[in-house]
């Protein structure tokens, strides 16, 4: 199936938002939320931190129920650019442990709380139809019960790459199983393809970048996480190419989190390392600049990488913390980043290799029913292709639910 027009999905949700299609829909609890934000400068992880790429934005969302159908309509307006988005909107039908739906729903395919190498909230979500197992429950059949609790997500979407690239379809699947308590294992897979040109044998086969349909680009990999006490370790490994039926040309993510108390203050501490540099294989394949940079299908949505924010040829080492005080919350991070390590001339973030420190300090509190969040960011380097300047930037966000 080809989803041929993103505009059609957006028009559909605009119609829903004024009650034209579901005039008798009832509001869910805390159904209506308004949110506004301002940043004095761009940061590397702006999409995943703020859900907006603009310096000033306002958005509202409305969650509703209509008999067996549920959904959310969200509209975001980025003021300087004068652009309106419906990212985060969807309509879905729950049945048992599953939901089937259509929308531009955010996905974070990773066991990391911060980053995904294959699908993150760094870029705008892909408009898609989807089938998702939302409840992590086990098979009742004894022959499959050893798998333990499991969940799954399958979607077919419309990949609007932006720029001069030809739009494509995107197919993805993720399964997470818990065969032993607190041991999670995930398997993930995506492929971008032109529906008029692709061959199903190639889309679902082991040679997505060659052979029958060289215009199909696949990525796949796995993740593992294990928790004990207040500790949790996790990793994700994603291959940018295929060798037979197995992924190859890998990038890596690993981290450690601890939930603890500092004095009487509930706190979470996290250490994470991300590396999107890919070495050349013994047969001369892959090498610098492989990650997210397929010539026909760059791994982007609206010009922004759908995986790790540092994009191709990057390294990020970060320490993060959150602290829940009685009257306010504090979050912070300190990291060291390398961007475009191979100095690729047409890199999306920087025209040359840059490295340096990055940090932020945030404070959040409630004021008469309004949530206030403010952060100060420090960029220790300039990213000339992404319009990110070296120096300080500050932000403030306001949100209120009804």
């Amino acid at each position: 199936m080809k989803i041929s027009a993103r505009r059609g999905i957006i028009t559909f949700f605009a119609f829903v938002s004024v009650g034209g299609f579901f005039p008798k829909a009832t509001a869910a609890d805390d159904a209506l939320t308004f949110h506004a934000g301002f940043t004095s400068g761009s940061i590397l992880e702006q999409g995943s931190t703020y859900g907006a790429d603009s310096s000033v934005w306002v958005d509202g969302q409305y969650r509703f129920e209509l008999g067996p159908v549920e959904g959310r309509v969200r509209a975001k307006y980025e003021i300087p650019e004068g652009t309106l988005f419906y990212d985060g909107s969807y309509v879905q039908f729950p049945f048992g442990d599953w939901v089937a739906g259509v929308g531009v729903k955010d996905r974070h395919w990773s066991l990391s709380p911060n980053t995904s190498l294959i699908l993150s909230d760094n870029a705008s979500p892909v408009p898609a139809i989807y089938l998702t197992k939302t409840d992590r429950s086990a098979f009742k059949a004894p022959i499959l019960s050893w798998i333990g609790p499991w969940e799954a997500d399958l979607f077919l979407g419309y990949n609007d790459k932006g720029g001069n690239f030809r739009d494509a379809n995107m197919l993805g699947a993720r399964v997470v199983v818990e065969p032993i308590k607190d041991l999670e294992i995930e398997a993930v897979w995506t492929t971008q393809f032109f529906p008029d040109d692709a061959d199903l044998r190639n889309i679902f086969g082991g040679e997505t970048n060659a052979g029958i349909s060289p215009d199909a680009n696949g990525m796949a990999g796995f993740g593992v996480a294990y928790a004990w006490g207040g500790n949790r370790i996790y990793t994700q490994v994603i291959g940018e190419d295929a060798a037979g039926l197995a992924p190859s040309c890998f990038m890596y993510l690993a981290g450690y989190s601890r939930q603890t108390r500092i004095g009487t203050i509930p706190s979470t501490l996290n250490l994470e390392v991300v590396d999107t540099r890919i070495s050349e294989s013994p047969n001369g394949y892959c090498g610098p600049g492989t990650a997210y940079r397929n010539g026909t299908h760059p791994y982007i949505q609206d010009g922004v990488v759908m995986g790790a924010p540092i994009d191709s040829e990057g390294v990020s080492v970060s320490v993060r913390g959150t602290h829940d005080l009685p009257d306010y919350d504090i979050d912070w991070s300190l990291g060291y980043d390398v961007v475009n390590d191979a100095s690729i001339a047409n890199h999306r973030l920087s025209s040359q290799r840059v490295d340096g420190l990055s940090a932020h300090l945030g404070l959040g509190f409630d004021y008469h029913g309004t949530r206030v969040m403010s952060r100060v960011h420090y960029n220790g380097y300039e990213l000339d292709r992404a319009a990110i300047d070296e120096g300080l930037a500050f932000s403030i966000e306001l949100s209120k639910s009804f």
Side-chain angles (χ1 to χ4, degrees):
M1 175 181 178
K2 178 181 179 182
I3 301 177
S4 60
R6 179 179 180 181
R7 184 182 301 275
I9 294 178
I10 292 176
T11 302
F12 170 75
F13 285 115
F15 194 47
V16 171
S17 68
V18 297
F21 197 76
F22 292 146
K24 297 182 180 179
T26 60
D29 294 336
D30 295 328
L32 187 61
T33 301
F34 291 103
H35 176 242
F38 163 80
T39 65
S40 65
S42 298
I43 63 170
L44 181 58
E45 298 182 355
Q46 185 156 331
S48 55
T49 302
Y50 296 107
D53 292 323
S54 177
S55 59
V56 186
W57 69 94
V58 294
D59 70 65
Q61 63 179 25
Y62 175 74
R63 295 190 298 113
F64 64 90
E65 297 174 356
L66 178 63
V69 177
E70 62 187 26
R72 180 175 72 173
V73 178
R74 180 179 181 233
K76 176 182 62 178
Y77 183 64
E78 297 186 346
I79 295 175
E81 297 79 9
T83 51
L84 181 65
F85 299 91
Y86 287 85
D87 296 351
S89 300
Y90 61 88
V91 173
Q92 62 188 24
F93 175 76
F95 57 101
D97 295 340
W98 296 79
V99 297
V102 57
V104 277
K105 199 170 187 179
D106 293 310
R107 286 178 170 81
H108 179 82
W109 281 7
S110 177
L111 298 175
S112 161
N114 311 310
T115 314
S116 171
L117 295 173
I118 191 165
L119 268 185
S120 71
D121 48 11
N122 184 60
S124 296
V126 173
I129 57 174
Y130 58 88
L131 180 65
T132 304
K133 186 176 185 291
T134 55
D135 182 37
R136 190 177 290 191
S137 56
F139 285 103
K140 295 181 180 179
I143 194 173
L144 296 174
S145 61
W146 63 270
I147 295 175
W150 66 287
E151 63 185 69
D153 189 18
L154 174 69
F155 74 88
L156 173 62
Y158 179 72
N159 181 205
D160 179 1
K161 305 184 188 77
N164 297 321
F165 293 103
R166 179 183 170 189
D167 296 342
N169 278 13
M170 186 170 183
L171 187 63
R174 180 185 190 230
V175 177
V176 182
V177 301
E178 191 177 352
I180 301 173
K181 182 175 173 56
D182 297 323
L183 173 65
E184 300 170 283
I185 302 173
E186 68 170 348
V188 291
W189 167 78
T190 63
T191 185
Q192 301 158 280
F193 61 96
F194 300 135
D196 297 332
D197 303 334
D199 188 294
L200 290 178
R201 290 174 295 173
N202 191 258
I203 294 173
F204 293 100
E207 297 293 340
T208 56
N209 299 302
I212 302 168
S213 177
D215 290 333
N217 175 52
M219 294 175 60
F222 66 91
V224 179
Y226 180 68
W228 71 101
N231 306 285
R232 186 172 181 266
I233 55 174
Y234 56 86
T235 187
Q236 187 176 57
V237 179
I238 299 297
E240 250 287 8
D241 206 339
L245 294 177
S248 64
C249 305
F250 294 107
M251 44 188 162
Y252 304 92
L253 176 158
Y256 166 76
S257 294
R258 176 166 176 78
Q259 294 182 339
T260 185
R261 284 183 176 269
I262 300 177
T264 61
I265 303 171
S267 302
T268 300
L269 303 175
N270 175 262
L271 170 66
E272 185 170 284
V273 179
V274 179
D275 191 345
T276 62
R277 300 171 300 177
I278 296 178
S279 303
E280 185 174 306
S281 70
N283 295 326
Y285 296 105
C286 302
T290 298
Y292 309 134
R293 287 169 48 83
N294 180 279
T296 303
H297 293 291
Y299 202 70
I300 55 177
Q301 179 73 358
D302 294 333
V304 180
V305 68
M306 293 184 284
I310 56 173
D311 212 314
S312 184
E313 285 299 302
V315 180
S316 174
V317 181
S318 63
V319 181
R320 308 169 194 250
T322 61
H323 310 281
D324 185 11
L325 285 81
D327 297 323
Y328 54 91
D329 305 323
I330 294 175
D331 66 87
W332 57 271
S333 68
L334 177 64
Y336 173 73
D337 303 323
V338 177
V339 178
N340 194 9
D341 190 46
S343 292
I344 300 168
N346 59 348
H347 195 275
R348 284 181 288 266
L349 298 179
S350 177
S351 59
Q352 60 184 349
R353 183 189 188 276
V354 297
D355 68 289
L357 296 176
S358 61
H360 92 268
L361 177 63
L363 177 69
F365 58 92
D366 293 321
Y367 181 76
H368 295 294
T370 298
R371 179 67 177 172
V372 181
M373 186 72 211
S374 182
R375 293 185 178 93
V376 176
H377 295 270
Y378 172 71
N379 298 317
Y381 47 83
E382 178 187 0
L383 299 179
D384 56 348
R385 296 277 172 76
I388 296 176
D389 296 326
E390 181 179 356
L392 293 173
F394 69 91
S395 70
I396 186 166
E397 297 175 276
L398 305 175
S399 61
K400 186 174 180 62
S401 297
F402 299 89

